[in-house]
Amino acid sequence: MASSSLSFSPCPSFPSPTSLSSPSPSKSLPFFTTSRSIAVCCSSSSSPFTEWNSLERHQRDQWACVSSSSSSLVCDKANEIALQLPELKRLLEVLRAGRENGGGGGRGPGSVALVGTGPGDPELLTVKAVRAIERADLVLYDRLVSNAVLDLVGPAARLLYVGKTAGYHSRTQEEIHELLLSFAEAGANVVRLKGGDPLVFGRGGEEMDFLQRQGIHVNVIPGITAASGISAELGIPLTHRGVANSVRFLTGHSRNGGTDPLYVAEHAADPDSTLVIYMGLSTLPGLVSKLMNHGLPHETPAVAVERGTTPQQRIVFAELKHLVNEVKLAELVSPTLIIIGEVVALSPLWPLSSEKRLGMCNGAAMH
């Protein structure tokens, strides 16, 4: 087995806290409003998916922070790594000592559980996921893990934020691999919390492959992926007899950071299929243009959902030709899921559903 050690990259320069803070609450609107082909559901609550500079999120990791004279926590990014590194090493020493003395001498290495937490609603967690979270010694969690899910972590466990957002990674993927391996080798029960499902655009496969090659047992606990959780929340069937006979998941991100990874649009422009795009806000204009250029009707129903299944959920319904403009007007931010296809019009929230169903009934009566 390869030996492991904890090491971290030097701290880069970071944007100011205001540049990464949650957006201002939307203007007060009725719960459901319609305008032309658009419907927006809003909440004025702040996002549960806080960034690295959120005090609330860092307060959960207070073991890695220092107290100021006013008893408040000081966890700015400039000294976070320096604070956490010695604390992590001490925690490793305690775990290793416990393994070598008395209670754990003959025990093998610990295990790593890659746990999917779903799109945000803690009630969508599986029983197996809850049990793994409660048993954890160390929890490494992503940006899209909601605070309500973190509340399930036991009081003796350590929490470590390893989230990523556009333009900023609190830990590189290699550092995350190193942390998982180091604590598993020390005999800890390590839980890696990921939003949605670990194996759907979650890089869970990379972590699982790395750990298994080092001889560490990995248990994958699936989560409800955003496509399923959010479509169910809105009453949208991803497939429906006579409307959509398949569903396709795409990511709006390219591995190398390109701005136009959606080269598959030519084959995705299928009116008999449902298209779900994860992390697609930045490339949405290019995607919509390509889909329409390759034959997908301009009137195809679509929806963009920010922070789906949480109390802060915001929804924009629009026909495909209006989708980009309406998403911009609503100022949706990440995480936002996009669903395109005729099944969207089956949602009871679709603003044109009554007219469309009336037209379908009239058409059926004429035949």
Side-chain angles (χ1 to χ4, degrees):
M1 180 184 299
S3 62
S4 63
S5 61
L6 284 172
S7 61
F8 296 92
S9 301
C11 222
S13 56
F14 296 92
S16 64
T18 54
S19 67
L20 283 180
S21 58
S22 299
S24 302
S26 302
K27 295 179 180 178
S28 297
L29 292 173
F31 173 73
F32 190 77
T33 63
T34 61
S35 173
R36 199 171 71 247
S37 61
I38 179 174
V40 182
C41 303
C42 304
S43 169
S44 60
S45 302
S46 61
S47 172
F49 303 124
T50 47
E51 305 289 352
W52 63 265
N53 59 318
S54 163
L55 179 60
E56 179 184 0
R57 178 130 291 184
H58 275 295
Q59 284 175 336
R60 296 180 180 276
D61 305 343
Q62 56 185 297
W63 57 272
C65 303
V66 295
S67 296
S68 69
S69 57
S70 62
S71 298
S72 62
L73 292 174
V74 178
C75 300
D76 59 274
K77 185 62 190 177
N79 64 11
E80 179 193 356
I81 290 178
L83 287 167
Q84 288 180 348
L85 182 55
E87 187 67 28
L88 286 170
K89 285 184 175 179
R90 284 195 292 271
L91 181 56
L92 271 173
E93 290 170 1
V94 170
L95 289 166
R96 285 170 177 155
R99 179 182 172 190
E100 294 168 358
N101 299 327
R107 190 162 57 120
S111 63
V112 174
L114 304 181
V115 179
T117 64
D121 182 354
E123 293 187 352
L124 294 179
L125 284 169
T126 65
V127 174
K128 192 171 185 178
V130 172
R131 289 174 178 166
I133 292 170
E134 291 174 342
R135 291 194 303 263
D137 296 314
L138 177 70
V139 176
L140 279 66
Y141 63 99
D142 281 347
R143 182 174 70 96
L144 300 186
V145 177
S146 67
N147 290 336
V149 172
L150 293 179
D151 288 338
L152 299 172
V153 177
R158 299 298 200 203
L159 292 97
L160 185 63
Y161 178 53
V162 293
K164 301 180 180 73
T165 190
Y168 170 73
H169 291 181
S170 64
R171 295 282 186 267
T172 68
Q173 192 62 43
E174 291 71 24
E175 287 170 346
I176 293 171
H177 288 173
E178 195 106 345
L179 285 163
L180 293 170
L181 178 59
S182 296
F183 280 89
E185 286 184 333
N189 290 322
V190 184
V191 168
R192 175 78 166 98
L193 292 184
K194 292 176 172 288
D197 184 275
L199 303 183
V200 179
F201 302 126
R203 302 190 74 167
E206 297 175 37
E207 293 169 6
M208 179 171 59
D209 178 63
F210 171 81
L211 291 167
Q212 288 176 338
R213 283 190 284 107
Q214 308 303 320
I216 300 299
H217 175 70
V218 180
N219 183 24
V220 179
I221 301 177
I224 294 178
T225 189
S228 296
I230 292 173
S231 63
E233 179 84 2
L234 303 185
I236 298 173
L238 291 176
T239 62
H240 190 81
R241 186 170 60 174
V243 180
N245 54 27
S246 65
V247 59
R248 186 167 192 171
F249 297 168
L250 296 179
T251 173
H253 279 331
S254 69
R255 179 167 182 170
N256 295 322
T259 58
D260 189 19
L262 302 168
Y263 58 89
V264 296
E266 179 178 357
H267 304 290
D270 179 5
D272 296 322
S273 183
T274 303
L275 188 60
V276 183
I277 302 98
Y278 291 69
M279 304 167 286
L281 280 180
S282 63
T283 53
L284 185 61
L287 171 67
V288 168
S289 176
K290 286 176 180 287
L291 290 174
M292 292 191 297
N293 288 341
H294 286 104
L296 198 62
H298 293 202
E299 295 76 23
T300 300
V303 63
V305 187
E306 175 191 311
R307 296 172 286 190
T309 78
T310 73
Q312 296 78 20
Q313 175 174 280
R314 295 203 299 151
I315 311 166
V316 173
F317 281 100
E319 291 181 336
L320 186 60
K321 60 187 176 184
H322 298 306
L323 182 62
V324 173
N325 186 53
E326 301 296 3
V327 165
K328 287 181 179 178
L329 288 175
E331 298 181 343
L332 297 190
V333 298
S334 174
T336 292
L337 187 84
I338 298 153
I339 306 175
I340 300 172
E342 292 296 333
V343 292
V344 174
L346 299 177
S347 169
L349 302 178
W350 173 248
L352 302 183
S353 58
S354 298
E355 301 171 22
K356 201 158 192 175
R357 287 171 183 166
L358 179 61
M360 291 171 64
C361 291
N362 290 340
M366 290 174 61
H367 291 86

